[in-house]
Amino acid sequence: METIEDLGAYTFQALLANSVKKFASSNALSLIDGKPVTYAELGQKAADTARLLAALGLKRYAKVAVLGSGCPDWGVSYFAIVNYGWIAVPLLPDFSVTELEAIANHCGFDALIVSGPLYKKIQPVLDKMPEIIVCMDDFSVLSKPENIQIDKNVIAQTPLPQIKVQDEDTASIIYTSGTTGRSKGVELTNKNLIWTAFQGQTLHRINKMDRCLSFLPISHVYEFTIDFTMQMMNGACVYYLGKPPTVSALLPAFKKVQPTIVCSVPLIMEKIYKNKVLPQFQKTKLLRIIYKIKPFQILLHRIAGRQLKKQFGGYLVFFGIGGAKVDMTVERFLKDAKFPYAIGYGLTETSPLIAGSGPSITYP
């Protein structure tokens, strides 16, 4: 487990430098069916992307929006932005075109890094987007000011910004609606996010042998802090699902990745329980009768829990649940099954964790 003594500062710049130094050849980010990016490659790709942004004329503290689903190049984009003096504006992929237009007007970001499919989505409001638009898929320039010339030679000759990022420098402006309707921008510093990632390790420690399966929106601070920042800090590898997190897509991914760490929302576990677990207790009349008797119910839950852990790859030690209230019936099953789940509560404004319990906590 890395500490502030290892990093030296509460910044993403210090985090990546430390991880590249200590875990250079270890895998950092990957799609489940793709080639992993090592920490050394992550550092180099982030520098290359920062050089491109500098060549496009971005000045310090420029705001760069990131619009895409979780993938290695999302992480590359984020490090390229925050480690070289700019501010990231992560945008949820499921924001409507109207919401994206409103955020663009409110935030006034100076550049946009967007995946190919979502670039098509924003076509109706393209005139509201910044002049500088980069494709996340291959970091090609989709649009730029007419007076700026870009080619390989120009980019190669552009010096990297020599910026010493400070703890209190803004890292992200995250737009969240919470419970009050229209999305509002939440400004979070490097220290807000890095400090919370450090404190999260009091609930569960992460190391370079961990494998994290990520399928929640990385632009949401819950997924970003736990399944990205904490993993990158400690040399773990994050595998992205790369498709909607349906039960039919998740179970093969669990089998392939054999993750040790997963973060989820209650709805996914509730679907697994109601569609995969509960029907096993309703197969026969005798089972239905036995299941109503508490000691037998606990025993059946324990057996089902062992089977579920095998379906999740067999190595799971941390299954985080957050973002909404957990159904009491489902949580009772998880407790009886001794499933390694953790629950947290927080806000975007608190980066996000306020309180939580780790999988090592025992329950009555």
Side-chain angles (χ1 to χ4, degrees):
M1 182 182 77
E2 300 301 288
T3 68
I4 188 59
E5 285 72 26
D6 296 294
L7 272 63
Y10 289 101
T11 67
F12 285 95
Q13 190 178 63
L15 182 157
L16 186 58
N18 182 69
S19 292
V20 168
K21 178 181 178 181
K22 289 190 174 182
F23 314 115
S25 61
S26 298
N27 292 336
L29 301 168
S30 181
L31 289 168
I32 58 171
D33 295 319
K35 181 183 177 182
V37 174
T38 67
Y39 277 91
E41 291 169 336
L42 176 59
Q44 185 59 55
K45 284 175 176 286
D48 292 343
T49 305
R51 199 183 300 276
L52 169 63
L53 295 176
L56 286 166
L58 291 183
K59 304 302 182 184
R60 189 171 187 185
Y61 304 122
K63 289 170 280 189
V64 183
V66 184
L67 178 59
S69 301
C71 66
D73 286 332
W74 198 104
V76 169
S77 301
Y78 189 86
F79 280 123
I81 296 164
V82 301
N83 285 4
Y84 292 92
W86 301 303
I87 298 169
V89 186
L91 300 173
L92 286 167
D94 57 356
F95 274 147
S96 69
V97 172
T98 302
E99 287 175 308
L100 291 171
E101 180 182 7
I103 292 170
N105 288 334
H106 180 266
C107 182
F109 40 79
D110 305 283
L112 170 65
I113 300 177
V114 59
S115 67
L118 291 173
Y119 181 61
K120 295 178 182 177
K121 177 180 178 178
I122 64 172
Q123 291 302 304
V125 292
L126 200 56
D127 60 325
K128 304 296 183 181
M129 296 295 125
E131 282 190 281
I132 298 172
I133 301 180
V134 175
C135 180
M136 186 185 296
D137 304 343
D138 58 5
F139 294 102
S140 59
V141 178
L142 299 175
S143 70
K144 61 178 179 60
E146 291 184 0
N147 64 326
I148 291 180
Q149 300 300 315
I150 287 290
D151 58 33
K152 290 183 179 179
N153 290 331
V154 170
I155 297 171
Q157 293 171 12
T158 301
L160 275 172
Q162 298 300 306
I163 301 296
K164 176 66 173 177
V165 178
Q166 303 299 317
D167 293 359
E168 298 304 325
D169 284 346
T170 299
S172 296
I173 300 174
I174 299 177
Y175 277 80
T176 174
S177 60
T179 58
T180 57
R182 180 173 293 181
S183 295
K184 300 168 292 297
V186 176
E187 188 175 355
L188 297 173
T189 66
N190 279 259
K191 189 171 183 179
N192 288 150
L193 293 158
I194 301 294
W195 186 88
T196 304
F198 274 126
Q199 296 307 307
Q201 295 177 113
T202 61
L203 298 178
H204 184 77
R205 292 188 174 186
I206 296 167
N207 62 61
K208 64 181 181 180
M209 303 304 293
D210 278 313
R211 299 176 301 279
C212 174
L213 178 60
S214 172
F215 48 81
L216 298 179
I218 192 173
S219 45
H220 191 289
V221 71
Y222 163 45
E223 176 70 11
F224 176 81
T225 299
I226 299 175
D227 273 359
F228 180 75
T229 305
M230 288 177 68
Q231 311 306 315
M232 295 297 95
M233 183 184 294
N234 291 286
C237 184
V238 181
Y239 293 85
Y240 293 103
L241 185 62
K243 61 185 74 173
T246 60
V247 173
S248 60
L250 282 171
L251 292 181
F254 279 116
K255 184 176 181 180
K256 183 170 185 176
V257 176
Q258 297 181 320
T260 57
I261 295 171
V262 171
C263 281
S264 181
V265 291
L267 181 61
I268 290 176
M269 182 53 76
E270 288 166 10
K271 285 185 176 180
I272 291 173
Y273 172 75
K274 291 173 182 177
N275 296 334
K276 299 289 184 180
V277 176
L278 192 57
Q280 299 297 315
F281 307 141
Q282 310 293 328
K283 282 184 175 180
T284 66
K285 183 178 180 180
L286 179 60
L287 261 178
R288 289 194 294 271
I289 293 172
I290 291 175
Y291 187 64
K292 293 178 181 178
I293 303 171
K294 190 63 177 177
F296 288 109
Q297 184 183 95
I298 294 174
L299 179 60
L300 289 171
H301 282 173
R302 193 71 49 81
I303 295 170
R306 286 197 290 267
Q307 294 173 341
L308 188 59
K309 281 185 275 189
K310 287 181 181 178
Q311 287 185 310
F312 280 16
Y315 292 88
L316 195 65
V317 294
F318 180 94
F319 190 93
I321 303 177
K325 179 182 177 182
V326 184
D327 182 277
M328 290 179 63
T329 303
V330 176
E331 187 168 6
R332 173 50 59 189
F333 161 71
L334 294 173
K335 288 180 179 179
D336 291 344
K338 294 190 179 297
F339 195 78
Y341 79 107
I343 289 183
Y345 171 77
L347 307 166
T348 302
E349 291 84 347
T350 56
S351 310
L353 197 62
I354 293 176
S357 62
S360 61
I361 301 295
T362 57
Y363 298 93

